[in-house]
Amino acid sequence: MILFKNVKWKNFLSTGNVFTEVFLDKSANTLVVGENGSGKSTMLDALCFCLFSKPFRKISKPQLVNTINQKDCVVEVKFSIGSNNYRVVRGHAPRKMEIYLNDRELKPDAHIKDQQDYLEKNILKLNWHSFTQIVILGNASFTPFMQLTSMNRREIIEDLLDIKIFTAMNMLLREKLNSNKNNITDLKYKIEVEEEKLSMHRKNVEKLKTSNKEKIDNINEEIKKCERSIAEIELGLEKKYKLLDELKNKVKDEDIVKNKLNTIKDIESKYEERLRKLRKRINFYQENDHCPTCEQQIDETIKTKKIDTNSKKIDEIRNASDKLDKELEKYNTKLLDMIEVNKKITSYDMEIATDGQEVSSITSYVVKLNKDLRLESKEGKDVKDELSLIKKIQSKVNGLNERRSDLLHSKEVFDLASTLLKDSGIKTHIIKQYVPIINRLVNKYLATMEFFVNFELDENFNEVIKSRHRDEFSYSSFSEGEKMRIDLALMLTWRAIAKMKNSANTNLLILDEVFDASLDNDGCDAFLKLLYDLGNNSNVFVISHKGDILQDKFLSVIKFEKHKNFSRIAS
């Protein structure tokens, strides 16, 4: 049973920035009065908006926010189900939704829509249509059961009888049927593919049986060709190794030649230094008549003698340098020849390495060919492989066929279950059991309100109404007062059924201006008597303009008033 405890709101419609709170479980029956526009019906809109994101009256969400404050519109509802206490908070400007279980917020989903679905399907187990048929009856935005579409009528009955589980099961079953169908199609395709493979491998077996000898002959021919290539390369290598030894003999004195060249270059360097010093001395005697140290005059004879002596030494060094140049040229020529020989040696080394790699590669290829030859020489090696593959594929096909057979059996079961879970199946069978009870209760409540007709709903929730004289009527053919009696009887019937099933059973019943509209005084008195008989677990709120007439008939009264353009509960 859903036990509603309180609802409070602020900045909602004409309410200001202070919470207005109505305790829903304090009194068995409460009269709600106030002048037009004072906010009497606001509690209906607040309750529906908080629980279903949709007000009771036809008001757009932006219009729900107080036009003066224009923000922080918040509604909060507390209720309990068994030992669990729930609190739902919904706001607009900014938009928010929070659900608390025993003062702990339930982890919010990515979207408010997902939270709303969870609230309706897993907690309340009521949608807006069912809630407004069982909990609220009013003039504004209320569509009586008899004016609903067949689909909406059925939806409410399924909620009441707690058989929507079959609808959910049917939806899951459809998913399973689709999955089953897709799996059968997929398996059929896989079986066709594997059978095509079987056909291909069987043809291969026939081909392999005739082509085995041809393969062996080709391998043997390839081996002989490789052996000839190796022999040719090895013969070439033998010649190249011989030439390489000859070339290496030609450059064996390369280090001696390089050392000789370095020695000659050192001697030449020393000759150049001595020549520079001798020229400097000659220049001194040619350019100076006095000694720069003692300032005495240098004798001309001494100058001439010194110049001649140094000139002779220069000639001797030049003659020696000319001989040295010839030696340098001779050894340079030898070194250049050796460089050319080294280039040839490098070239031969590379050729020998390349030939060696080629021999190694061909040898590895011959090893592979011999291995292939041994395999091919074994009786029907490829044939055996193909036969082994055929065996594996056949086993796979057998497995796929078994799975397909299981899926086809499952499809038969699913089809049977689908038939049972359709609207014409189990649900109709259950509804058939309750239709007589529903009709009996409706007629009981109609009789209590002194409206003596025989009202019947069939399994499709179409009505047949007969008078005492057995004349048939439809709902639309009655007066507004008579329609109201039928609507009230149906509402009380739904509450009674909900209590039997404990599906949508709740303590709360709100009647908005029911006594102000189409009920005459006798009808009002009869209906009030029905309300008093609802029991201690019910909390009835009657919103009315007839406060002066009805006030003494209720245990408690709530009066709404306008104060400084804001609605509030009068002190």
Side-chain angles (χ1 to χ4, degrees):
M1 178 177 180
I2 305 173
L3 179 62
F4 287 99
K5 297 182 177 181
N6 74 318
V7 57
K8 64 179 183 178
W9 60 91
K10 70 175 183 176
N11 293 315
F12 185 79
L13 293 174
S14 60
T15 309
N17 197 31
V18 177
F19 274 111
T20 297
E21 184 170 12
V22 175
F23 294 95
L24 304 174
D25 60 346
K26 294 293 184 182
S27 175
N29 52 74
T30 303
L31 178 65
V32 181
V33 296
E35 297 178 358
N36 287 333
S38 61
K40 298 188 301 298
S41 299
T42 302
M43 64 183 291
L44 302 180
D45 295 311
L47 195 61
C48 290
F49 172 70
C50 188
L51 296 177
F52 302 101
S53 188
K54 178 180 178 181
F56 181 70
R57 293 175 290 181
K58 292 179 180 179
I59 305 171
S60 66
K61 286 183 182 178
Q63 291 176 321
L64 293 175
V65 185
N66 181 275
T67 55
I68 297 174
N69 296 329
Q70 297 184 351
K71 64 178 181 178
D72 294 330
C73 170
V74 179
V75 183
E76 179 180 309
V77 175
K78 289 182 180 179
F79 60 91
S80 64
I81 301 175
S83 60
N84 290 323
N85 293 309
Y86 290 93
R87 179 163 60 95
V88 179
V89 181
R90 194 184 298 270
H92 200 75
R95 186 183 180 209
K96 71 173 180 178
M97 180 183 182
E98 298 165 357
I99 303 173
Y100 294 86
L101 170 58
N102 298 324
D103 293 325
R104 183 175 173 183
E105 186 176 6
L106 297 178
K107 186 177 180 180
D109 289 1
H111 301 287
I112 288 179
K113 182 179 181 300
D114 296 328
Q115 288 179 273
Q116 186 61 42
D117 288 343
Y118 182 81
L119 174 63
E120 292 184 21
K121 294 176 182 177
N122 297 81
I123 299 176
L124 294 172
K125 297 181 180 179
L126 282 170
N127 59 25
W128 191 86
H129 282 296
S130 300
F131 185 80
T132 54
Q133 290 293 320
I134 297 167
V135 177
I136 299 174
L137 180 62
N139 290 324
S141 300
F142 169 73
T143 305
F145 180 84
M146 299 308 303
Q147 296 179 27
L148 292 173
T149 63
S150 297
M151 183 179 71
N152 286 336
R153 290 184 185 185
R154 187 176 192 95
E155 189 177 343
I156 290 167
I157 297 299
E158 288 184 6
D159 268 343
L160 288 171
L161 300 182
D162 201 16
I163 57 175
K164 290 197 94 175
I165 183 64
F166 297 116
T167 302
M169 289 170 64
N170 196 30
M171 290 176 67
L172 291 173
L173 183 62
R174 285 177 190 171
E175 292 177 10
K176 286 185 176 292
L177 273 168
N178 288 332
S179 176
N180 177 271
K181 181 181 177 182
N182 291 335
N183 287 337
I184 290 172
T185 303
D186 185 49
L187 278 175
K188 183 182 177 183
Y189 170 74
K190 286 180 179 178
I191 290 168
E192 289 172 354
V193 170
E194 296 302 322
E195 286 179 342
E196 184 64 30
K197 286 182 184 178
L198 275 176
S199 176
M200 180 184 70
H201 285 292
R202 283 169 180 155
K203 289 177 182 177
N204 280 345
V205 168
E206 296 303 318
K207 288 180 182 179
L208 287 169
K209 286 179 179 178
T210 58
S211 66
N212 188 258
K213 184 179 181 303
E214 184 180 344
K215 283 186 178 180
I216 292 172
D217 292 341
N218 289 336
I219 292 171
N220 280 323
E221 183 60 35
E222 189 70 15
I223 289 172
K224 288 177 182 178
K225 184 178 175 182
C226 290
E227 288 173 344
R228 286 194 297 270
S229 296
I230 290 171
E232 289 174 5
I233 293 169
E234 287 178 341
L235 183 62
L237 280 170
E238 188 178 342
K239 291 179 181 178
K240 288 174 184 176
Y241 278 123
K242 187 176 180 180
L243 286 170
L244 191 61
D245 289 339
E246 292 174 359
L247 289 170
K248 285 181 178 178
N249 282 329
K250 289 181 180 181
V251 295
K252 65 181 179 180
D253 296 331
E254 183 179 3
D255 290 338
I256 296 171
V257 171
K258 286 180 179 179
N259 289 333
K260 189 68 177 174
L261 280 169
N262 289 333
T263 302
I264 291 170
K265 288 177 181 178
D266 288 341
I267 294 170
E268 278 193 332
S269 178
K270 291 175 181 177
Y271 280 169
E272 287 294 327
E273 181 62 24
R274 288 185 66 190
L275 284 171
R276 187 184 64 77
K277 289 179 178 179
L278 290 169
R279 290 190 190 102
K280 186 176 180 182
R281 289 176 187 173
I282 291 171
N283 287 337
F284 173 78
Y285 287 110
Q286 288 176 341
E287 294 173 359
N288 294 286
D289 293 329
H290 294 81
C291 175
T293 305
C294 63
E295 295 184 356
Q296 291 184 1
Q297 187 174 355
I298 302 171
D299 187 82
E300 192 66 34
T301 303
I302 293 172
K303 285 175 64 176
T304 303
K305 184 179 179 179
K306 291 286 186 182
I307 290 169
D308 289 342
T309 300
N310 287 319
S311 294
K312 284 178 183 180
K313 287 181 180 179
I314 287 173
D315 291 338
E316 289 172 0
I317 291 171
R318 280 177 176 168
N319 288 332
S321 181
D322 288 342
K323 290 178 183 179
L324 204 59
D325 284 342
K326 289 178 182 178
E327 283 290 307
L328 183 64
E329 184 178 353
K330 182 178 77 172
Y331 282 106
N332 269 332
T333 301
K334 281 186 178 181
L335 186 60
L336 288 171
D337 290 341
M338 288 179 176
I339 289 171
E340 290 301 318
V341 171
N342 279 327
K343 287 181 180 178
K344 289 180 181 179
I345 289 171
T346 302
S347 177
Y348 276 119
D349 282 338
M350 291 176 66
E351 288 179 15
I352 288 167
T354 302
D355 290 344
Q357 288 177 355
E358 188 171 355
V359 169
S360 176
S361 177
I362 294 172
T363 302
S364 297
Y365 182 50
V366 169
V367 170
K368 179 184 177 301
L369 288 171
N370 280 313
K371 184 179 179 182
D372 292 344
L373 184 62
R374 286 193 298 272
L375 292 172
E376 293 295 337
S377 298
K378 290 180 181 179
E379 187 179 351
K381 184 265 175 187
D382 283 344
V383 173
K384 287 180 180 178
D385 287 347
E386 286 295 312
L387 289 172
S388 176
L389 278 172
I390 287 171
K391 186 177 179 180
K392 288 179 181 178
I393 294 170
Q394 186 62 60
S395 175
K396 188 175 181 180
V397 169
N398 293 340
L400 291 171
N401 277 320
E402 286 178 10
R403 284 172 59 194
R404 186 167 181 266
S405 177
D406 290 341
L407 286 171
L408 289 170
H409 176 70
S410 296
K411 182 179 182 299
E412 292 177 2
V413 174
F414 290 155
D415 286 339
L416 177 61
S418 179
T419 302
L420 292 173
L421 292 174
K422 285 179 180 177
D423 286 346
S424 57
I426 294 173
K427 289 192 288 187
T428 296
H429 180 73
I430 294 172
I431 289 168
K432 277 183 181 179
Q433 307 301 313
Y434 278 91
V435 165
I437 300 171
I438 291 170
N439 290 332
R440 191 160 57 248
L441 285 169
V442 172
N443 285 299
K444 169 191 166 186
Y445 292 130
L446 287 174
T448 302
M449 289 185 284
E450 298 182 356
F451 187 31
F452 298 102
V453 294
N454 184 38
F455 180 94
E456 288 187 4
L457 288 176
D458 62 19
E459 296 158 16
N460 296 316
F461 312 109
N462 297 314
E463 79 276 14
V464 176
I465 306 173
K466 295 180 180 179
S467 68
R468 289 178 175 178
H469 305 291
R470 313 307 295 171
D471 296 324
E472 288 193 9
F473 298 92
S474 66
Y475 175 82
S476 58
S477 62
F478 289 104
S479 68
E480 293 304 313
E482 291 169 328
K483 288 179 183 176
M484 179 59 73
R485 284 172 167 81
I486 293 173
D487 296 339
L488 292 170
L490 282 167
M491 184 194 67
L492 293 172
T493 298
W494 303 147
R495 289 180 66 85
I497 295 293
K499 192 171 183 180
M500 288 180 198
K501 290 292 295 178
N502 200 31
S503 54
N505 190 13
T506 173
N507 64 312
L508 189 60
L509 173 59
I510 304 175
L511 305 172
D512 185 22
E513 299 183 2
V514 170
F515 292 91
D516 303 354
S518 306
L519 285 181
D520 53 24
N521 290 334
D522 292 338
C524 288
D525 292 338
F527 186 64
L528 281 171
K529 183 177 182 301
L530 283 174
L531 294 183
Y532 298 150
D533 292 339
L534 288 177
N536 295 328
N537 291 329
S538 295
N539 300 101
V540 181
F541 288 80
V542 174
I543 301 171
S544 177
H545 292 296
K546 298 180 179 180
D548 52 342
I549 300 173
L550 299 173
Q551 189 163 352
D552 59 343
K553 298 181 180 180
F554 288 83
L555 296 175
S556 62
V557 177
I558 297 175
K559 183 178 181 181
F560 280 86
E561 65 178 7
K562 272 290 185 70
H563 178 71
K564 295 182 180 179
N565 292 323
F566 291 112
S567 295
R568 69 176 186 180
I569 295 175
S571 302

